[in-house]
Amino acid sequence: MTLPTTASGHKGLQLEQGLIFEQDTPGMTAVDLPSLPTSKQRLGDMNRNGPIGLPGLSEPEVVRHYTRLSQKNYSIDSGFYPLGSCTMKHNPRLNEKMARLPGFAEIHPFQPVSTAQGAMELIDTCARWLTELTGMAAVAMSPAAGAHGEFCGLMCIHAAHDANGQSQRKVIIVPESAHGTNPATAALCGYTVESIPANAEGRVDIADLRAKLKEHGDTVAAVMITNPNTCGLFERECIEIADAVHAAGAYFYMDGANFNAIVGRLRIADLGVDAMHINLHKTFSTPHGGGGPGAGPTVLSAKLAPFAPVPMVVKAGEGYVSEEHAGYGTAKQALGRMKGYHGQFGVFVRALSYMMSMGVDGLKQASGDAVLNANYLMARLSAELTPAFAGPCMHECVFDDRFLKGTGVTTLDIAKALIDEGFHPPTMYFPLVVHGALLIEPTETESKQALDQFVTSLLSLARKAKEGRAAEFQAAPQLSPRRRLDETKAARRPILRWTPSATDGAKQAAE
Amino acid sequence: MRYLPLSEANRRDMLAQIGVASVDELFRDLPKKALAAAQFDLPRTMSEIEVERALGVMAAKNMNCATSAAFLGCGNYRHHTPASADYLIQRGEFLTAYTPYQPEISQGTLQAIFEFQTQVALITGMEIANASMYDGATACAEAVAMACRVTKRSHALVSGRVHPHYHDVAKTQMKFLDVNVECLAPDPYGVEDLIGRVSPDLACVVVQTPGFFGQLSDYTALGEACHKAGVLLVACVTEPVSLGLVKSPGAMGADIVVGEGQSLAGPMTFGGPGVGLFATREKFLRQMPGRLCGETTDEDGRRGWVLTLSTREQHIRREKATSNICTNSGLIALAFSVHMTLLGEAGFTRLAELNHATACDLADKLEGVKGVKLLPSAFFNEFTLALPKPAAGVVEALAKKGVLGGVPVSRFYPTYPELANLLVVCATETNSAEDQVKLVKALNEVLS
Ligand SMILES: Cc1ncc(COP(=O)(O)O)c(C=O)c1O
C-alpha cells in the first residue's frame, strides 16, 4: 500500500504545522490586558525604538499550534520509553497538582523567611528523605540537575582538599564508561581526567584502579564512579574501591543517576561514598519536560558537608532559618552559591509528593520491579540479541551489535525501525565501551504486557536483520511525523532561528 | 502501590523466565554488609488523599503572593499567566518527553525550541540563542566562562548593579579555574565608573538591565569602550518583560545576553525552576554552551528540526566541552515561549507598558509617604526606596499586615550597614489599585 499524497500535506491525524512566525497577523494578540493607569513615564530616554518582530496570533490559533506540535512528540504518557540511563518512569499528575498549590507556586524567594516556613519545611523534609535513603550526613539541595550536582560534589571535594593543605590533588579518575558530564565537570573544577577501562565483565577493574592510584599518588583528588554503572551492573567491589580511594587520600564520588536500581535497599553511606548527586527527574519521577528542568541534590559525607554551597535550610527552635551567605554561621566554610534563590523548589515539591506516595516500602518495591523488568527483558531479548555482559543486570541491560554482524544493519537502523514499531528507541551507542550499544531501561512503571510487546517487536526486527532485509531498515522510520533528518546539513550550514528571508520559500510552499 | 503495574503473578512468571527464585537473587552483586546494615526511618506508602492533605498543610503555612498585596522583585516576578499556557505545557506529550534525542518522534519539542531560540534572539536584540540554561544566575556564570574562552583572558568585571546571586554564582563557578571574577560594590545610586575600568586584560564586563536596584542605564558607550579593548559586554536581564518597552541589550552593543525567563514563563515557585536565557552573536557560535536546535530536511525533503552542533557538548567532547550542562530547563523554556506566542508583538509591548505605568503609579504614591525617598533613576517596574529605618524590620511589620512590601537590600548585603534602609519595590500588572493603597497605608502605619 502506498500512502496517498494530500493537497494539505496533512496525513489524517498527522497534522503539519508551520512556525508561529508564518502565522503572523500583525497587531493580533491572544492576551487582553486591563487599561493603563495614567501616570508619567519614568523611562528616561531608554525607550525601545523599532519593532521586535514577534508574530501576532489569537488564542485559538496558539492552542492549536502547540496541540499539533505536541502530537509530534513521543512521550511516556503515550508509550514505552526505554531510554537507558534516563529512568523514564511514569510522572504522576498528583505531583503537578501539588506543585501548583498557591502556597507553593505563588511564593517569592525573597519574602521574609518568617512568611515562608512551609517552604522551608518542604525543603527540609525532602532533604531528610534523601539523607535517610542514602545514610549520608548532609545534602546540598540547590544543584539544578545531575551535572550541576556533580559540580557541587567535586567543588566540595576541591574545597576539602584545599582546607587540608592538599591543593596539589588535581586528578580525577573516571572509568571510560562514564557519562560525558563526569569528565566535563572535572574540567570545570580545573581537574585533569584519567580514564580507566572497564574489564571484560563490564566493571571497574580494581587492580587497574589501584595501579592508577599508585601512579598518580598524592595528586588524585577523587575517583568518580557511576553505580550501578552505565553498563547496568552493580560495582560489586564498591566497598573495596572506596577503601582504596580513601587509603590514597582521595574522595569517592558516586554518580547517582542510576539510584533507581537500589533505592530503599541499601544506603550508599555504607558503601563508603563521600558525595553523590541524585537526579530527582529520574529516580523521583519529576517530569523531564522535553529536556528539563531537573534537580540534582547532592548528598555529602561528614567530611565534605561543611563545604556545601548556600543556601541551606537550618532548623532553629520551632521553625527554620535560611542561611544564604557563605562565610557566616552554619555556612562558615561553604564554598559559595551555585544557583539563584533556593534551588529547584518546584521540583522538590514534586519529588516529595512522589516519595510520600511511594513510602519507603513502595520505593523498595519500585527498585525491585525496575530490576526485575530489566532482567526479564534481558532474558527474553537474549533469544536474538547479544547481551554485552553476563547478568544479573540492575535496572537496565545493555546489548552490543554482535547480533548484527554481517547483516548490513546497524544499531541506529534498529533504533529507527523501533520507531515504526511504535516504541521510543533505547539509548544508542552509550556507554562508549560497548560496541554499537543499545542500553535498555524499562523502569518499574511498565506492565509485563508492555514489555512483552516490546520484546515481540525487537525480536522480530533482529530476525528480519538476520534474514538479510537490510534495505527495509535503511528506509526506517517511515511512519513517524518525519523520516530520518539530515544532521550533517543542519551542522554544516546552521539555521538556528527563523528569519524572514530564510523561510520565504517554505511559506510559498505551504500556500 | 498505584504506580506499579506488576502483579504478584507477573512477578512469579517473570522470575521463572529469568531463571531465578526471587528478586533478592537479582541483587546478589550488592555487598551483603551494606544490605544488612540498611535501615530507613521513613514513612510508608500513602494514598493520594493523604499526600494532598499533608502537603496542603505545609503549603498553607506560607503567605502567598496571590492572596496578599505583594510587591516583590529582585530577579523573580509575579506576572499573570494566561490559562492556556499552563494547560499547553501540561500536555503529556510535552511534559513527559525526554530531551529530543530521536528527532523523528520529537519534532514538537524541537520546533518549540527553534521558536524559543528565535523569540529570545529577537527580544534581546541578538543573532542567536540556545535552547536554555538552568537559570539566569548559572547562565551568567556560563557567559563569563564563554567570554574567557573567546578572549583567552581570565578577568571578569561585574557591575555592582548586577543581581548579587548572579555574581555569587559566577564567582563560585570560576572558583577553581584561575579566573578572577571581580565584583564591584553594590551600586544603588548608580555612581560606579565602568568605562574607566575597561582595560585590555578584561575578558568581559558584566552589567544588568534593568539593574538590580531597578535602574535603567544606557550601556552603549560602555559597549563601545569594551569593543575598543577587545572586551566582551555581557548583559543580564532578570526581568524580560522590560524588553517590551526598553532598549534591548543588543541595541546597546552587548555581545552576550543572559537572563532569567521565569517572569514570562510562570509562577515564581520560591525561585525555581526558572529558565536561563542565553543569546549571543553568530560569530561566537562555536563557543556557546548548551543545546542548540537547527533546521534541516528529512529524507522526503520536508522541513524538520534536530539538535545540532553537539560537538561543543559534554556527550561528544567530554572534558573539552564548552559546558557540562545536560538536562536544561526545557519545559520552562516552552512555558516562556507559549506565553510569548500568546502575547505577540502587540501584547508584549502592552504588557510592558502596563508594568511600567503601574510601577510609576505606585512610585508616585510612595513618594507621598513621610520619610520615604525614591532613589533617583529611570526605572521599568521596580525601584529602590530609602526608608527612615532598617528595611528588614519594616518588611516584617508589613507582612503582619498582610502586605509583602518589597525586598530589603540587607538580605543580600548584610555587611553593608549603609544599605540597611534600602527597600526594592516592584509592581507588575498583577498589582491592583487596591493592593497599592494597602501598601501605602500599611507603610504609613509602620513608619509613623
Ligand atoms: C550516568 C549519568 N550521569 C550524569 C547525568 C547527567 O544528569 P543531568 O542530565 O541531570 O545533568 C546523566 C543523565 O543524563 C547520566 O545518565
Side-chain angles (χ1 to χ4, degrees), chain A residues 292-505:
Chain A
T298 303
V299 289
L300 300 166
S301 62
K303 281 190 186 144
L304 296 181
F307 306 102
V310 292
M312 44 187 93
V313 172
V314 182
K315 192 121 183 90
E318 290 290 283
Y320 299 92
V321 294
S322 173
E323 188 58 77
E324 297 176 359
H325 298 278
Y328 301 91
T330 40
K332 195 146 194 63
Q333 288 179 279
L335 60 86
R337 170 180 284 278
M338 293 193 66
K339 195 186 171 306
Y341 320 117
H342 303 276
Q344 303 285 64
F345 182 80
V347 180
F348 305 156
V349 178
R350 290 169 174 86
L352 183 59
S353 162
Y354 173 78
M355 291 189 279
M356 291 170 76
S357 295
M358 297 298 283
V360 66
D361 48 334
L363 290 174
K364 183 174 184 193
Q365 184 69 61
S367 56
D369 284 357
V371 169
L372 177 62
N373 277 355
N375 277 282
Y376 177 70
L377 284 184
M378 183 163 165
R380 293 215 44 207
L381 291 171
S382 294
E384 296 287 349
L385 279 68
T386 41
F389 305 106
C393 64
M394 299 304 291
H395 62 304
E396 57 193 352
C397 53
V398 61
F399 295 90
D400 57 29
D401 59 2
R402 279 173 299 156
F403 76 104
L404 295 172
K405 204 161 177 194
T407 61
V409 176
T410 64
T411 296
L412 181 73
D413 295 333
I414 294 282
K416 298 304 180 192
L418 272 171
I419 290 177
D420 279 341
E421 291 283 334
F423 296 103
H424 194 286
T427 295
M428 321 173 292
Y429 302 103
F430 176 82
L432 305 176
V433 296
V434 173
H435 198 269
L438 271 177
L439 182 64
I440 304 177
E441 179 178 9
T443 85
E444 72 281 7
T445 61
E446 293 300 329
S447 67
K448 178 170 177 297
Q449 198 174 23
L451 301 181
D452 286 338
Q453 287 166 356
F454 177 72
V455 167
T456 302
S457 285
L458 188 45
L459 290 181
S460 87
L461 291 176
R463 280 192 291 268
K464 227 195 243 183
K466 292 175 189 179
E467 285 162 12
R469 293 160 67 183
E472 289 173 46
F473 284 91
Q474 278 129 28
Q478 303 200 58
L479 305 174
S480 48
R482 283 292 177 272
R483 298 191 48 214
R484 285 193 207 190
L485 289 130
D486 189 343
E487 304 199 1
T488 315
K489 178 177 168 184
R492 207 173 40 226
R493 198 177 60 86
I495 303 173
L496 305 174
R497 57 171 284 187
W498 172 86
T499 45
S501 53
T503 43
D504 278 350

Side-chain angles (χ1 to χ4, degrees), chain A residues 247-259:
Chain A
Y251 290 101
F252 181 23
Y253 187 94
M254 188 161 125
D255 180 326
N258 295 334
F259 191 46

